[in-house]
Amino acid sequence: MIVGKDIPLPWWEKYTLTIEEASLYFGIGEKTLRRFIKEHQNEDFIIYNGTKIQIKRKVFEKFIDEKLTVM
């Protein structure tokens, strides 16, 4: 067991993504993604860790699969 070391996980194993990671993964600009999150603050795919926003990857995938556009 490794103690005290941060081992980076590949994105496909992460439960949550940062705005920057989600932007790259989903192909949505960071500004657009931040505006979208601001408009959908109470959705299940958002986690607030203090001031840091985390996006639940699989829940957001399902959410955008059901939408025609993300604006």
Side-chain angles (χ1 to χ4, degrees):
M1 178 177 196
I2 299 173
V3 178
K5 295 254 183 181
D6 288 334
I7 301 172
L9 291 174
W11 58 264
W12 60 86
E13 292 184 11
K14 287 187 168 187
Y15 180 71
T16 62
L17 301 172
T18 64
I19 295 287
E20 295 78 15
E21 291 169 334
S23 174
L24 292 170
Y25 177 67
F26 292 105
I28 301 170
E30 286 184 36
K31 286 182 182 180
T32 302
L33 192 54
R34 287 182 190 281
R35 185 177 65 241
F36 184 78
I37 288 170
K38 188 174 184 179
E39 294 170 359
H40 296 86
Q41 291 180 3
N42 297 321
E43 295 290 343
D44 291 337
F45 58 82
I46 300 172
I47 297 175
Y48 293 96
N49 182 4
T51 59
K52 187 175 182 181
I53 297 170
Q54 296 283 303
I55 298 172
K56 295 180 190 175
R57 184 177 52 84
K58 289 186 179 184
V59 178
F60 190 61
E61 284 176 357
K62 183 178 178 190
F63 181 84
I64 62 173
D65 280 346
E66 296 171 357
K67 301 295 177 193
L68 296 175
T69 60
V70 176
M71 297 178 80

